[in-house]
Amino acid sequence: VVCSALYFLIVRKKIREAGELNRKYSAKMIKAIQQAMGGIKEVKTMGREAYFAGVYKDAGTEFVERRRKYHILAAIPGRLIETVCMGSILGVIAYKIHVGENLAAVVPSLSAFAVAAVRLLPRANAINTHINGITYNMPSLRAIYEDLTESDRLEAERLKDIEQRRRNPKAKEKDGNIRIENISFTYPETEK
């Protein structure tokens, strides 16, 4: 528990940052695919395949790099706990030898601790893995939550507006006209 707590105090921020960057680059990859596929005729006509492939490749490279760093960070607690457990057992044995105690009396209790450690380590590693996963995916979960909250708020406003119009049908409606002026568009990094 102490090893895990220290690890998470030190590394939690890095895992969260990796998760946030992972979400950002994953979104860029999906956006590139959606834009390319949504406007496939325009992309083909204007020869912009390389641009969208480049955007996807750059975002994909960053995405993979963040995942790699996350997996390295996620593997640390298991190895750390195993090292501390086995080092502690060896340290106790070394101390007992140093003070001249009879090892025959100490070995059965140390063996019990070693067996317990071997049985508990996989569970401790699983707990650490799940905590890492939650921390890493929290930025994505937070973004989804914010989108859902905003959607609920907009729906409540829409229903409130409908209810007000139902109660007061003579209220002036908006004119419904849309006017667009001075609009232009260029693809990124081009003059066209």
Side-chain angles (χ1 to χ4, degrees):
V1 171
V2 171
C3 289
S4 293
L6 288 174
Y7 165 77
F8 285 116
L9 285 174
I10 295 168
V11 178
R12 179 181 56 204
K13 185 177 178 183
K14 288 183 181 184
I15 290 175
R16 192 176 299 130
E17 287 171 359
E20 183 61 44
L21 289 171
N22 180 59
R23 187 182 78 77
K24 174 184 166 185
Y25 291 117
S26 178
K28 279 187 174 183
M29 290 169 53
I30 292 168
K31 181 180 176 183
I33 291 170
Q34 288 176 335
Q35 287 177 339
M37 294 296 125
I40 191 74
K41 290 179 192 175
E42 292 84 0
V43 170
K44 288 287 199 185
T45 302
M46 299 187 76
R48 301 292 295 163
E49 298 95 335
Y51 169 76
F52 287 105
V55 169
Y56 183 84
K57 181 182 176 217
D58 293 344
T61 301
E62 289 295 327
F63 175 81
V64 169
E65 180 63 20
R66 301 299 155 236
R67 292 291 293 183
R68 184 186 69 79
K69 286 182 179 180
Y70 163 70
H71 285 293
I72 289 170
L73 289 173
I76 291 172
R79 305 307 164 255
L80 180 66
I81 292 171
E82 291 169 7
T83 303
V84 168
C85 284
M86 293 307 138
S88 298
I89 291 171
L90 292 174
V92 169
I93 291 172
Y95 175 75
K96 297 292 184 177
I97 290 172
H98 179 69
V99 296
E101 264 190 57
N102 182 5
L103 286 180
V106 176
V107 168
S109 60
L110 285 177
S111 297
F113 279 113
V115 169
V118 167
R119 299 276 298 168
L120 290 175
L121 284 175
R123 277 107 184 138
N125 288 339
I127 290 169
N128 287 326
T129 299
H130 293 305
I131 291 171
N132 276 331
I134 290 168
T135 303
Y136 183 72
N137 290 305
M138 190 58 85
S140 297
L141 180 63
R142 196 172 292 119
I144 291 170
Y145 176 76
E146 288 170 3
D147 285 348
L148 291 174
T149 304
E150 178 67 12
S151 176
D152 288 346
R153 186 187 65 75
L154 292 173
E155 180 64 15
E157 286 178 8
R158 188 183 72 81
L159 292 174
K160 182 180 174 184
D161 188 45
I162 290 171
E163 182 61 25
Q164 285 177 346
R165 279 190 265 146
R166 188 186 64 78
R167 287 186 191 158
N168 189 4
K170 294 186 180 188
K172 184 179 179 192
E173 292 282 329
K174 296 177 184 169
D175 66 6
N177 293 329
I178 298 174
R179 190 167 75 202
I180 299 173
E181 297 176 3
N182 301 323
I183 301 294
S184 63
F185 172 80
T186 57
Y187 282 100
E189 302 173 17
T190 66
E191 299 283 329
K192 295 181 182 179

